Amino acid sequence: MGYLDKEFTDSNIIVTNLDALLNWARLSSLWQVGFGLACCAIEMMATSASHYDFDRFGVIPRPSPRQSDIIIISGTVTLKMASRVKRLYEQIPDPKYVISMGSCANCGGPYWDHGYHVLKGVDRVIPVDVYIPGCPPRPEALLEGLLKLQEKIRNESRVG
Amino acid sequence: MADTEFIKSVTDRFTLLLGEEKASQIVITESPFETFLTVPAELISVVMTELYDNPALGFDSLVLLTGNDEDDAVKTKNDDGSETLTGGNLSVVYHLESLPNRKKIIIKTIVPKANPEVPSVTPLWVSADWQEREAYDMYGIIFTGHPNLIRILMPYDWEFGFPLRKDYQNPEFYQGIKVPY
């Protein structure tokens, strides 16, 4: 009897392809950089707390970018912060993902015209995978953004 | 409300200290909100030291120090519709409080944009240190005698001027990053 047949008789065997296995493993433990910038960071922390429980999706804040998979840009990125954000991003080992959280990180938000000090969108310094609108986005929106990112990872192919 | 009697007593003290001629340069401005004294920049050191040292005044607390652009520059219209500003003044506003005497006073000094030099009050109130750095950072007011007058909020390598001045122009690029929206 081949493995394909055993899938239905032996519950310990699952037949899948390597891509799906690796993607499933990676998307289920997206460790984020413990990094917050502004008021969006408060919502991000609320999402991490017990009520919304980010951990059920495997998102755990890590103290070092070298142990992380994603970075959530949660707040206004100033021009002074831009080079620091870029450095943090570069310190994350590949494969890495970026969630841009809130209007400020997306496009400058309320500082779009008169904010002399604000970077008009974090995508000017690092590539962004998911943009979450809101000012600040509710924790549900951040969860939705994370699910979108998981969907993206699920459809990737790293083996072939 | 403004304590007119107290303000009068303060100016009388300065008349004794500085003499009639110099003290006449200290102007009292009444406003619906707060009365304030406008002091020329060259008298700031003497005035502030007196306010701090004299036990009858005893202004031991600097509540707030702010810079300001007076917005009194001459505006000339260019052909393309933009405006060029020439001249104009900057100012520094000091909010002082006397905890032993339960008094407040507001001192203002106005300096020309061409030479915006004001003596630092950091030797008197240490809390002025970072506030003066901020006023320098935003308006380019030079506080002479400040121990460490460098930018505090903007990047240290910011070379595009002082952002809260009325004639400030944001740069196109900063460190290779496009700045305008």
Side-chain angles (χ1 to χ4, degrees):
Chain A
M1 203 156 50
Y3 282 125
L4 267 175
D5 305 319
K6 274 189 179 174
E7 187 182 10
F8 304 104
T9 55
D10 186 340
S11 59
N12 282 328
I13 293 176
I14 297 167
V15 177
T16 180
N17 60 49
L18 194 51
D19 262 340
L21 177 68
L22 291 179
N23 289 344
W24 169 74
R26 285 198 299 116
L27 69 85
S28 305
S29 67
L30 290 170
W31 290 358
Q32 64 147 319
V33 185
F35 170 70
L37 281 174
C39 28
C40 282
I42 306 294
E43 296 296 306
M44 187 184 75
M45 285 181 263
T47 317
S48 291
S50 51
H51 190 87
Y52 290 98
D53 196 14
F54 227 178
D55 196 8
R56 68 198 149 122
F57 300 106
V59 181
I60 308 169
R62 299 299 300 178
S64 162
R66 299 187 194 282
Q67 303 167 352
S68 309
D69 305 295
I70 61 170
I71 181 168
I72 300 175
I73 309 297
S74 52
T76 317
V77 185
T78 58
L79 291 168
K80 198 174 180 179
M81 197 68 194
S83 57
R84 278 80 166 173
V85 167
K86 194 171 178 214
R87 172 172 292 191
L88 270 180
Y89 173 77
E90 283 165 355
Q91 284 175 335
I92 304 174
D94 277 320
K96 53 193 169 188
Y97 302 92
V98 177
I99 295 178
S100 167
M101 180 184 182
S103 297
C104 292
N106 291 346
C107 63
Y111 312 101
W112 68 278
D113 194 11
H114 297 292
Y116 56 88
H117 61 302
V118 174
L119 183 69
K120 310 294 189 287
V122 73
D123 50 8
R124 292 190 182 189
V125 284
I126 55 174
V128 175
D129 294 284
V130 177
Y131 296 87
I132 303 168
C135 188
R138 283 192 56 85
E140 291 92 332
L142 180 56
L143 293 174
E144 172 82 26
L146 184 88
L147 292 178
K148 289 281 178 217
L149 180 63
Q150 290 191 333
E151 208 171 286
K152 179 174 178 168
I153 298 171
R154 193 173 283 121
N155 295 316
E156 276 182 359
S157 177
R158 296 250 164 203
V159 188
Chain B
M1 278 309 289
D3 192 343
T4 327
E5 213 169 287
F6 172 69
I7 303 271
K8 190 80 185 56
S9 76
V10 172
T11 45
D12 286 348
R13 199 176 294 279
F14 285 130
T15 315
L16 284 175
L17 183 75
L18 302 164
E20 195 75 48
E21 193 193 332
K22 275 189 176 173
S24 65
Q25 297 174 26
I26 300 174
V27 184
I28 306 174
T29 310
E30 306 266 355
S31 90
F33 308 106
E34 299 270 6
T35 305
F36 59 90
L37 297 180
T38 308
V39 179
E42 57 270 20
L43 292 183
I44 276 287
S45 287
V46 188
V47 167
M48 290 303 189
T49 311
E50 175 69 8
L51 288 170
Y52 180 81
D53 277 344
N54 192 326
L57 299 168
F59 285 98
D60 51 358
S61 170
L62 176 73
V63 180
L64 181 70
L65 186 157
T66 44
N68 185 31
D69 189 321
E70 290 291 297
D71 199 15
D72 52 0
V74 182
K75 289 170 186 159
T76 40
K77 277 257 190 289
N78 294 336
D79 295 336
D80 58 345
S82 62
E83 275 183 342
T84 312
L85 304 185
T86 40
N89 291 300
L90 301 171
S91 63
V92 184
V93 183
Y94 306 85
H95 288 242
L96 304 177
E97 185 160 0
S98 168
L99 296 175
N101 298 330
R102 298 201 169 184
K103 294 289 180 196
K104 287 179 184 176
I105 196 166
I106 302 170
I107 308 285
K108 183 176 180 179
T109 181
I110 301 177
V111 285
K113 231 177 231 181
N115 181 30
E117 282 193 11
V118 180
S120 171
V121 294
T122 308
L124 299 174
W125 298 280
V126 179
S127 62
D129 186 341
W130 283 15
Q131 302 188 60
E132 286 182 345
R133 276 177 66 188
E134 189 181 349
Y136 163 72
D137 198 0
M138 295 291 126
Y139 296 98
I141 298 161
I142 312 290
F143 292 93
T144 49
H146 189 282
N148 183 30
L149 195 66
I150 54 171
R151 287 190 183 274
I152 187 168
L153 296 171
M154 299 300 286
Y156 295 130
D157 62 348
W158 190 259
E159 54 190 25
F160 310 104
F162 304 102
L164 293 191
R165 283 194 184 187
K166 297 288 179 190
D167 54 355
Y168 173 75
Q169 294 290 332
N170 226 16
E172 274 298 303
F173 287 92
Y174 168 68
Q175 290 187 347
I177 306 162
K178 189 164 173 271
V179 176
Y181 180 73

